[in-house]
Amino acid sequence: MKTPFMDRIPRRQFLAGSLATTLAASTATTAVPAPAARPKAQIAITLDLEMSRHYPRRGITEWDYQKGNLDAATKKYALEAGQLVKRQGGLLHYFCVGRVLEQPDISWLQQLSQLGHPIGNHTYDHVNLKATTPAMAQYRFKRSPWLVKGMTVPEILRENIRLTTIALKERAKIDVNGFRTPGGFRDALDGRADLQQLLLQQKFSWVSSKYPRHAYGEPKQEPAEEVYQSIVDAQQQAQPYRYPTGLIEIPMSPISDVGA
Ligand SMILES: [Zn+2]
């Protein structure tokens, strides 16, 4: 079936339109509200401060080993995004890979903090919290296992998170605000009281670990309407909740920029 609607508008507009439509439908049973009283969607914009494979060119994967070694273009993008959002009266929540704090110049990160943007912990090396072996925790440890020699996975994770909080404070004078797991898990930290406790012990009251399942479509092809609908439907699975340990989960809302 032809969908001229989808042909005409870009993806982001479509998503915004869908949310607006949902809100309009939910208020349809009451009297038409004055424009000022119309409910507004609450959104959070978040950005992980890390390098991604295939940037700036497909085939580049060395960043897997150096997630925190941000290049100039990435830092410029991160700073300008924060300035743009601030000008519009909003804040952007960043999650910082700790190794970036080893770089000679971190003034861009301090500028973001001074603008009021919260900066969270994204581990020091971008480790996988659900790893079962040290080599699985990070590519860097697979290539250079001596860095974590004699350490168990829980010890690696604890140290990777702890060092990031310390580095933010000592190098940048930034008090850490929140934690996001590297990678998102469709089942979040459900059933992993050990990981929940690990974060609670490091004084985090909330985590952003869940990324709900949705359809992606084929690379370099216009996404089908089912893909858009799948992303909109996934928002139902991206609602905050509390784990039995008391830790709060604040899921990511798809689709992420890299995924898109
Ligand atoms: Zn990440």
Side-chain angles (χ1 to χ4, degrees):
M1 195 177 76
K2 186 95 171 79
T3 52
F5 168 72
M6 293 299 300
D7 290 340
R8 282 202 312 270
I9 60 168
R11 182 184 65 89
R12 282 170 212 282
Q13 274 181 23
F14 166 72
L15 287 174
S18 302
L19 291 171
T21 305
T22 308
L23 289 173
S26 67
T27 55
T29 51
T30 58
V32 178
R38 213 171 277 164
K40 279 189 178 176
Q42 289 192 318
I43 62 161
I45 310 171
T46 66
L47 193 61
D48 298 351
L49 298 171
E50 67 183 60
M51 295 304 296
S52 295
R53 53 161 60 189
H54 301 312
Y55 286 84
R57 286 195 319 278
R58 279 205 174 267
I60 295 179
T61 54
E62 182 59 21
W63 300 125
D64 289 349
Y65 302 84
Q66 304 183 43
K67 293 293 286 181
N69 196 12
L70 270 59
D71 67 4
T74 303
K75 286 180 275 196
K76 184 169 182 281
Y77 181 95
L79 180 59
E80 289 179 0
Q83 291 166 335
L84 179 79
V85 171
K86 181 72 181 185
R87 278 200 298 277
Q88 300 298 319
L91 292 176
L92 211 160
H93 205 124
Y94 293 88
F95 293 94
C96 182
V97 168
R99 203 173 165 192
V100 75
L101 292 148
E102 294 181 19
Q103 291 194 333
D105 179 17
I106 52 143
S107 59
W108 59 278
L109 184 63
Q110 290 172 306
Q111 280 182 61
L112 287 173
S113 178
Q114 282 154 11
L115 285 171
H117 300 298
I119 316 276
N121 183 321
H122 199 41
T123 78
Y124 201 83
D125 293 293
H126 206 261
V127 291
N128 175 3
L129 267 67
K130 295 197 176 177
T132 51
T133 65
M136 270 177 69
Q138 223 292 328
Y139 291 95
R140 188 184 183 199
F141 303 149
K142 192 172 180 183
R143 183 188 279 172
S144 315
W146 55 86
L147 290 173
V148 289
K149 189 173 169 63
M151 294 173 77
T152 63
V153 171
E155 284 168 349
I156 293 169
L157 301 180
R158 202 174 300 126
E159 193 65 359
N160 231 265
I161 298 167
R162 190 182 73 90
L163 284 180
T164 304
T165 298
I166 291 174
L168 278 169
K169 184 69 177 174
E170 289 196 4
R171 179 86 198 281
K173 308 283 179 278
I174 292 171
D175 289 315
V176 71
N177 186 328
F179 181 85
R180 169 168 285 167
T181 57
F185 305 108
R186 65 183 54 151
D187 55 351
L189 300 183
D190 297 341
R192 292 298 304 268
D194 58 328
L195 295 176
Q196 297 164 28
Q197 290 294 354
L198 190 152
L199 294 172
L200 287 166
Q201 283 160 8
Q202 300 215 23
K203 307 286 181 251
F204 294 105
S205 58
W206 60 271
V207 60
S208 180
S209 80
K210 181 166 184 168
Y211 187 87
R213 187 205 300 257
H214 63 79
Y216 277 93
E218 294 300 318
K220 298 187 176 178
Q221 283 181 29
E222 195 65 27
E225 191 164 358
E226 296 82 60
V227 173
Y228 289 108
Q229 194 55 51
S230 168
I231 293 168
V232 172
D233 291 346
Q235 307 303 327
Q236 307 279 334
Q237 304 301 319
Q239 304 303 316
Y241 61 98
R242 186 187 294 269
Y243 292 107
T245 54
L247 187 69
I248 307 280
E249 171 64 46
I250 303 180
M252 291 162 253
S253 299
I255 185 172
S256 78
D257 53 353
V258 171

